[in-house]
């Protein structure tokens, strides 16, 4: 005979409880692993880069820091935005932040104060820029893609940073939510150079030097390529745009980067002349919410801008329509 309905129900509930208990144990173990792995550290070489006191080296570093490398666009606080947009050489005491799906990320104080880089060796600063490994061994988010910066230019940047007047400025710690901790635990790893790093790259009015500027210093590829906001991983063709960049203090609002490839139909600058390209950088910000560092980029030399233009016109055309520049997502 069939068992009574009450016995079937009790058996079913017993099975559900066991499944629930198993799922709870799995969840607890997962959370524990996330918190343990989120604090993991990494090993990376300490590049033998030492600051120089040579005035020419320091001048090169100043040009890179306040121009092509646009350090001032991130390593400054919100009350400095007007001066940054004007291309001024503002104190790089950090405190800028990015509100991302996984938390609020703050930028470091780059001055020689105890709250900044005073306790950092030149080697440690070089390692953070080349290998994405912080002083304490944690992996840095790939916001500073200077991994392929030549030894000479890396020396110049660190040499200039060492000349900055110390500014006491306590920057809050980056705040990761649980999603951020899970990403740190399983997805974020240090990113190093693509290959052997050049000892030096001689500035020249050429597409080859433009490639170095666009990929290793100005990070044109980083914004003008579609990528994941969670991991930074590239998900689209290089320089074809389509990256949805969140607008500060405007949840759900994104700026979409344009296609920079020389596709005659969808390439944003395909029909621009070299002079048009240089002129655009002299005109500054036109779209209020644009994350493009127009202020620092106004300090680019004409020759360097022309080199980037020449490089962009050598890359493979990609036919890609990216839609409106400003997108509001629910």
């Amino acid at each position: 005979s069939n068992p009574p309905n009450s016995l079937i129900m009790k058996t079913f509930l017993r099975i559900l409880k066991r499944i629930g208990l198993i799922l709870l144990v799995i969840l607890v173990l997962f959370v524990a692993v996330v918190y343990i792995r989120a604090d993991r550290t990494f090993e990376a070489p300490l590049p033998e880069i030492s600051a120089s006191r040579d005035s020419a080296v320091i001048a090169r570093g100043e040009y890179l820091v306040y121009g092509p490398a646009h350090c001032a666009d991130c390593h400054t606080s919100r009350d400095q935005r007007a001066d940054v947009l004007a291309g001024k050489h503002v104190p790089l005491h950090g405190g800028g932040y990015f509100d991302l799906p996984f938390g609020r990320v703050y930028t470091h104080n780059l001055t020689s104060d105890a709250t900044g880089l005073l306790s950092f060796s030149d080697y440690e600063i070089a390692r953070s820029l080349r290998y994405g490994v912080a002083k304490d061994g944690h992996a840095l988010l790939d916001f500073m893609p200077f991994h392929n910066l030549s030894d000479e230019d890396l020396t110049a940047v660190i040499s200039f940073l060492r000349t900055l007047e110390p500014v006491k400025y306590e920057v809050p710690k980056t705040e990761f939510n649980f999603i951020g901790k899970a990403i740190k635990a399983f997805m974020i790893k240090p990113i190093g150079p693509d290959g052997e790093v050049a000892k030096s790259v001689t500035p020249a009015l050429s597409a080859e030097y433009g490639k170095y500027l666009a990929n290793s210093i100005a990070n044109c590829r980083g914004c003008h390529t579609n990528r994941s906001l969670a991991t930074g991983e590239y998900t689209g063709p290089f320089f074809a745009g389509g990256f949805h960049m969140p607008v500060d203090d405007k949840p759900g609002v994104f700026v979409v980067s344009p296609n920079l490839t020389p596709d005659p139909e969808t390439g944003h600058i395909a029909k621009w002349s070299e002079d048009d390209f240089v002129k655009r950088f002299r005109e500054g910000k036109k779209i209020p919410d644009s994350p493009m560092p127009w202020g620092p980029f106004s300090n680019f030399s004409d020759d360097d801008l022309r080199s980037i233009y020449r490089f962009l016109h050598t890359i493979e055309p990609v036919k890609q329509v990216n839609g409106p520049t400003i997108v509001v997502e629910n």
Side-chain angles (χ1 to χ4, degrees):
S1 61
N2 294 328
N5 288 339
S6 60
L7 181 58
I8 295 175
M9 183 59 68
K10 287 181 180 179
T11 303
F12 178 68
L13 289 175
R14 219 168 21 243
I15 293 172
L16 279 182
K17 287 180 180 179
R18 288 178 181 174
I19 292 174
L21 182 60
I22 291 170
L23 290 176
L24 179 61
V25 170
I26 291 173
L27 179 61
V28 170
L29 287 174
F30 174 72
V31 171
V33 170
V34 165
Y35 276 89
I36 292 170
R37 283 181 58 88
D39 201 40
R40 60 186 171 152
T41 57
F42 298 85
E43 295 290 335
L46 287 167
E48 294 185 7
I49 300 291
S50 298
S52 168
R53 295 184 179 181
D54 185 287
S55 59
V57 174
I58 292 171
R60 170 68 176 173
E62 182 175 13
Y63 170 67
L64 293 176
V65 165
Y66 283 113
H70 56 281
C71 306
D73 209 55
C74 296
H75 290 273
T76 47
S77 52
R78 294 299 177 91
D79 58 1
Q80 296 171 284
R81 297 311 298 168
D83 286 342
V84 171
L85 189 57
K88 294 182 180 179
H89 291 201
V90 295
L92 302 177
H93 57 54
Y97 61 83
F98 302 91
D99 282 322
L100 298 171
F102 52 79
R104 175 172 283 188
V105 179
Y106 287 92
T107 61
H108 200 81
N109 183 343
L110 299 185
T111 73
S112 298
D113 184 73
T115 58
L117 299 179
L118 182 62
S119 66
F120 288 60
S121 70
D122 294 341
Y123 294 173
E124 288 169 336
I125 299 172
R127 182 178 66 174
S128 68
L129 292 173
R130 180 160 290 170
Y131 294 103
V133 175
K135 178 181 173 66
D136 60 8
H138 290 104
L140 294 168
L141 294 172
D142 194 32
F143 287 171
M144 300 185 298
F146 303 129
H147 319 297
N148 294 288
L149 201 64
S150 72
D151 284 351
E152 202 170 76
D153 280 343
L154 186 54
T155 299
V157 167
I158 294 173
S159 299
F160 173 66
L161 292 180
R162 290 304 197 194
T163 70
L164 293 176
E165 288 294 321
V167 177
K168 185 176 180 60
Y169 195 90
E170 292 280 357
V171 176
K173 289 187 177 181
T174 290
E175 305 164 1
F176 288 104
N177 55 32
F178 183 75
I179 294 174
K181 291 182 186 298
I183 291 172
K184 282 186 66 181
F186 299 106
M187 303 174 76
I188 300 298
K189 296 179 181 179
I191 298 175
D194 294 339
E196 186 176 352
V197 179
K199 295 295 182 184
S200 65
V201 177
T202 303
L205 183 54
S206 67
E208 185 62 28
Y209 185 61
K211 178 180 180 180
Y212 172 68
L213 288 169
N215 289 336
S216 301
I217 302 179
N219 194 30
C220 308
R221 181 176 66 179
C223 290
H224 289 275
T225 303
N226 205 0
R227 58 198 305 186
S228 165
L229 275 176
T231 65
E233 180 183 2
Y234 290 110
T235 59
F238 289 153
F239 297 103
F243 182 29
H244 284 47
M245 295 170 282
V247 175
D248 290 341
D249 303 322
K250 293 185 179 181
V253 181
F254 297 83
V255 175
V256 184
S257 58
N259 183 347
L260 295 186
T261 74
D263 178 66
E265 294 180 15
T266 63
H268 187 71
I269 64 170
K271 297 179 181 178
W272 291 14
S273 69
E274 202 170 276
D275 287 340
D276 292 334
F277 188 75
V278 174
K279 180 183 176 185
R280 177 64 192 89
F281 279 80
R282 303 302 176 223
E283 292 171 344
K285 180 178 287 194
K286 293 184 178 181
I287 300 172
D289 290 323
S290 171
M292 180 91 159
W294 289 110
F297 280 179
S298 69
N299 294 321
F300 254 114
S301 70
D302 282 4
D303 280 358
D304 281 0
L305 288 173
R306 292 180 187 278
S307 292
I308 291 176
Y309 174 90
R310 294 180 188 187
F311 162 65
L312 292 175
H313 279 72
T314 68
I315 60 181
E316 189 72 25
V318 177
K319 191 177 298 297
Q320 179 170 297
V321 178
N322 294 318
T325 302
I326 303 293
V327 173
V328 179
E329 299 178 359
N330 296 324

